[in-house]
Amino acid sequence: LIVLDAEPYLFPLLTVCARTNHFFAKSYYFPDAIVVGVVADLEAESRFHCRNGGVDVPLIWASQRPTRARDYLPTAAESPWGAPGSGSLLHISGHADEFCDFLADTLVPYVDATYSTRGARARALIGKSFGGSGVGAALIHPRASRLFSEFVLGSPSLAWDDGAWFRLFEMTLDAGAATDAELTAAAYGSPPFAADVFVCLGGEKDVDPEVMARFKRALDSRPGPRGEVCVEIVPGESHGSVSYPFVHHALEWLKPRWQRTE
């Protein structure tokens, strides 16, 4: 399970959720998994942003925002989101394709060479918000898409740059058309791909549900082998508060799929 935005919150959320479920349900079972956290490349000691003995979470996010925009967003554009006074992302964003190259060329080969992945019969990529956009970019990357059996997106920023993901999806289909035999021969599938996809968002002040419906329609229309596409809306949750339900529901969604690989 490769986790984007592992620091400061998604990796701890996964850990807490898994342990809590196990504690309160003695029969709760989840297959053994290797969890890999991908963090922003802020190498200085100040990356932890400790002030007066505590962690300054707003400062962490402000510092990581440009890096997340660079790595997870597919095109260069100005952001319609962000706190007042946030810096411009126009000349920073738009390098998701290079980040997907990193996943395919560096990260996954390193994990396979270092840990007991058993040939990676199941491998998922999970991210939220900008990180969800990064997962969406991997979905349509010609090599990264082959590496994962599941893609898990929480409140993904697919509306970025007037829906750039949808334009890139269509371009990928046009450029990567292949025969059914070629698609079946891929490890998990390349665009059009056969991986399963899970999307979760809050019902209040979150991603536009129509964007998610459009996302599902696009994936359901892909030719060749098709995996399941599940879109779940959690009532009463916002873009921020849906994080914990997203992680819990994502683990529940992954569990039966990964049990089948054992």
Side-chain angles (χ1 to χ4, degrees), residues 91-105:
H91 301 295
I92 300 172
S93 55
H95 297 275
D97 198 58
E98 296 169 43
F99 180 77
C100 291
D101 288 339
F102 160 75
L103 292 177
D105 298 335

Side-chain angles (χ1 to χ4, degrees), residues 22-87:
H22 177 72
F23 180 81
F24 284 104
K26 297 299 184 182
S27 62
Y28 186 84
Y29 168 77
F30 198 85
D32 289 340
I34 298 168
V35 183
V36 180
V38 181
V39 301
D41 58 350
L42 305 178
E43 300 299 337
E45 287 296 324
S46 61
R47 70 193 300 264
F48 297 103
H49 301 296
C50 294
R51 286 183 177 177
N52 300 321
V55 177
D56 190 330
V57 175
L59 183 58
I60 290 177
W61 281 116
S63 300
Q64 293 191 356
R65 185 171 180 264
T67 306
R68 298 172 71 234
R70 180 197 67 194
D71 290 345
Y72 301 152
L73 298 175
T75 57
E78 191 51 84
S79 176
W81 312 296
S86 297

Side-chain angles (χ1 to χ4, degrees), residues 62-216:
S63 300
Q64 293 191 356
R65 185 171 180 264
T67 306
R68 298 172 71 234
R70 180 197 67 194
D71 290 345
Y72 301 152
L73 298 175
T75 57
E78 191 51 84
S79 176
W81 312 296
S86 297
S88 171
L89 297 178
L90 179 60
H91 301 295
I92 300 172
S93 55
H95 297 275
D97 198 58
E98 296 169 43
F99 180 77
C100 291
D101 288 339
F102 160 75
L103 292 177
D105 298 335
T106 302
L107 180 61
V108 170
Y110 172 81
V111 172
D112 283 345
T114 307
Y115 301 99
S116 301
T117 58
R118 299 184 303 171
R121 287 180 292 208
R123 180 188 285 123
L125 181 66
I126 179 172
K128 179 180 178 288
S129 194
F130 278 12
S133 178
V135 176
L139 266 169
I140 57 176
H141 187 271
R143 287 177 298 117
S145 61
R146 296 172 180 262
L147 300 174
F148 299 96
S149 50
E150 294 89 17
F151 292 89
V152 184
L153 304 83
S155 303
S157 304
L158 298 179
W160 173 263
D161 191 13
D162 295 323
W165 185 90
F166 298 97
R167 300 194 298 272
L168 295 171
F169 176 77
E170 293 297 330
M171 291 170 59
T172 301
L173 294 184
D174 292 341
T179 66
D180 287 346
E182 290 171 329
L183 292 170
T184 304
Y188 294 123
S190 60
F193 41 83
D196 289 339
V197 180
F198 176 78
V199 187
C200 181
L201 60 148
E204 303 292 333
K205 298 179 181 179
D206 203 349
V207 178
D208 184 351
E210 177 51 36
V211 174
M212 292 299 97
R214 183 184 176 191
F215 180 67
K216 187 177 189 306

